[in-house]
Amino acid sequence: EAPEGAPKESELKPEEARFRVTDKGIWIWGHALHGTDHATYAFLEEALGCTWPWSKKIAYFKQNPLKVAERDYAWYPTLKVRRMRSPAGIWRARLRDGGHDAPTYGHAFSDYWGKYGQTQIHPDWFGMRADGKRMPVGFSDETALNPAASKEKPARFIAMCVSNDEYVDHVVKEWADKGAGEYINLCENDAAGEDSCHCPKCEALDAPRPADGKDWWVNWLSDRYINFSKGILERARKYRKDVRVIQYAYNAVELPPRREKWDDSITVGLVPVHFSYDAIKEYVQGWKKVGMKLFFHRPNRRCYYSQSSLPVGFDKHFFNIFKYLVDEGCMGFMYEDGTSESTFGWMADYVIEKGMQDPSKDFEYWEDHYCQAFGPAKDDVKGYYRYWREEVWEKRIEKDMEKIADVGKYFN
């Protein structure tokens, strides 16, 4: 419980963490949403000097006697989403990975094919292939309609027919029947842009193909999906005036719309493809120019550069992108992948996790924070990581990031 005169749990913000040290004792408390956990780890780190450099490892300096200075500590996360997929769950918890008041996101219609497609109840809700069939690309009639043969793949990769009014009505009804929450998740299934619906009604919603459009990467169909979001909002506002929708800027929706006017009730999950600093800036500014205000970052790209035994040196590069997005008003981050347990590349993940905890600090601050865990070897460890950053990433990879991406085409 909170000490006398201090804010009680019910008075704290979501995830807020507190501790107090006086000559009378030590109090650790926080908000019901992970606040006490955060406060416990904050006390261990801030008052006792513990750090968690990787996995389940704990770094600390022995003290005898143990001395704890008198202080009041309060922490509240400014980012609503602070997530990194990593095999070390306890490590993420110790670094205050979490979230509050955040929208529900993720491929929203992955279960629709099993419920409405394979059953042939509503086959017209699904994207039309180039051959005129409404079923997953690469599957025959027999395999697409056979759950045992097709398993999860069709559900995950089939696009929806976003111009179908009956489908739009159903999405709104489904949301309303579940309680009409603040957000409706409209993140499209994980379909490639060229596999979006080819029906005339959907294609009529698209802006013309840009001059630099590539057949192997169709990424300019945002107008049809913004139109879909606006149709959902128009219907949903009959149930709730302040409703919001969330959709990804990803695959077919990578480039911002060119014809549809923006609606401020749209939140965007940014899922960039190219990851040079300039490319990220162009991507974000393109969406902000059409009206995007609320957005979060949901990247895949970091894990493409990872490998199983040694660091790649991208720690500062991706931290600088993180800082840029914070400065642009990003509401949160969900990193697709962290470093595997077997690597010695944990600092790249550590600085991002700590940056999400306190975005005001720069890279060098968290670099020092990480290396302190190694005691007398801290300067050697810093030199080790700087070798990979300066000699490998900056000299041999970073300058050719766009060239590498172009040569790889399908993210190889």
Side-chain angles (χ1 to χ4, degrees), residues 314-338:
F314 57 46
D315 41 27
K316 189 171 185 178
H317 175 86
F318 285 103
F319 187 88
N320 287 343
I321 288 173
F322 161 78
K323 288 284 283 184
Y324 166 74
L325 290 162
V326 169
D327 291 343
E328 288 296 318
C330 189
M331 67 188 292
F333 297 80
M334 206 300 282
Y335 289 91
E336 169 62 23
D337 202 4

Side-chain angles (χ1 to χ4, degrees), residues 6 15 17 109 142-143 160 219 235 257 298 302 314 347 368:
E15 297 192 87
F109 310 108
E142 293 75 19
T143 56
M160 306 304 295
N219 60 358
R235 292 163 171 81
R298 164 59 182 83
R302 263 172 25 111
F314 57 46
M347 190 176 78
D368 286 341

